[in-house]
Amino acid sequence: MKITSVEPFILHAPINVPSISDSTHTITHWGIVGVKIGTDDGLFGYGYTGTHAHLESDRLVTSCIAKSYGPMLMGEDARDGDRLWLKLARFPAVQWVGRAGVTHIALAAIDIALWDLRGKAAGLPLWKLLGGATTELLEAYNTDIGWLSIPKDRLVDGSKRAIEHDGFRRLKIKVGHADPMIDIDRFEAVRKAVGPSVTIAIDANGKWDLPTCQRFCARAEPLDVFWFEEPMWYDDVGSHAALARSTSIPVALGEQLYTADAFNTFIGAGAVQYVQPDVTRVAGITEYIQVAHNAHSHRLPVVAHVGDMGQVHVHLSYWHPATSMLEYIPWIKDCFVEPIKVEDGHYVRPQMPGAGCTLTDQAVAAFGQSC
Ligand code: 0YR
Ligand code: MG
């Protein structure tokens, strides 16, 4: 499986409402930024990272893929996944400009493409290649009903519809207003509408500080909050450890952490209870495995961050024994040959060989950008 081509791509896939917001980001498109790697046996592997579709930033990633990492991959054996991961991640000149950030998510896309190739060569979906499904039915939780940009009445209607019509049993709603009592009010309205048996998590996307979080939690504790995600600045270990000690609401985080080392620091400090790696932000499946196994060895649940990158995560989540649920956001699935699918609140287990990232020709034609 000698690597013969490394071609980057950028797709900007529109969402079908004008925009969606959390406390920190507003987006109109999702960026699907990645690489198609060809081998001499005629197979192609696809891997991608998720962005918020800012073309010049996306081009930093594809430049790293094509110009820094691409030449190091040509002629290599795609089956040597761990060796190639180390070759790229530890290449001194690239490591110098980034052990995280642009270079790391570029490596994520490449690593996923190499796993995709190995799955296709073996004729196995990724979850099977990794060791088989450890869960019968992977639960999906719906984030799409809960954007901060959705007014309270529509938030309540959408939540009810997700439960009563679409079969979800778990929801997540965004929080992060300057006045946290507005978020308490929105949460209470949803809780009243869906009843006590539905789990409702919240996500502040890094917005608040420790006193705001503590004030919020004192009011939120009786409302049965399933977890409090990214309450504060992403890298602030001490504040998350302090919050975790001071509230009974479990702290969840990880979507903004780039490395297994960063996860180790949070886990070691008791600063996280639900561990949420994103395979497209840590450097691919190879590093995700380390993070998930380490969390599992600390008896912590792993619930991958999806954003809109569920294609690979559904495989990882069916496989990993610490995972029993996965976020659901539906906007870009139809860009892929085997789109993620939720039925009656559960993810359908993918069947096609590989890591689930093969793009359709139509998506490339409709949404492709020049790299
Ligand atoms: C939009 N999921 C998240 C989106 C989402 C973000 O900014 O990327 O809200 O990925 O926090 O848990
Ligand atoms: Mg989040």
Side-chain angles (χ1 to χ4, degrees), residues 17-75:
V17 292
S19 71
I20 47 180
S21 301
D22 59 33
S23 69
T24 310
H25 321 92
T26 294
I27 64 166
T28 61
H29 293 70
W30 293 102
I32 308 169
V33 179
V35 64
K36 178 180 176 185
I37 299 179
T39 57
D40 62 358
D41 52 7
L43 292 172
F44 289 98
Y46 288 75
Y48 72 101
T49 188
T51 74
H52 289 166
H54 180 255
L55 189 56
E56 288 309 329
S57 310
D58 292 349
R59 284 178 175 155
L60 297 174
V61 180
T62 52
S63 166
C64 182
I65 290 171
K67 294 179 186 155
S68 297
Y69 289 143
M72 293 186 229
L73 289 169
M74 294 296 283

Side-chain angles (χ1 to χ4, degrees), residues 22 25 30 52 147 172 174 203 205 229 255 305 307 327:
D22 59 33
H25 321 92
W30 293 102
H52 289 166
W147 299 104
K172 185 166 85 186
K174 300 292 186 183
D203 186 356
N205 287 90
E229 177 171 327
E255 66 178 81
H305 167 251
E327 181 169 30

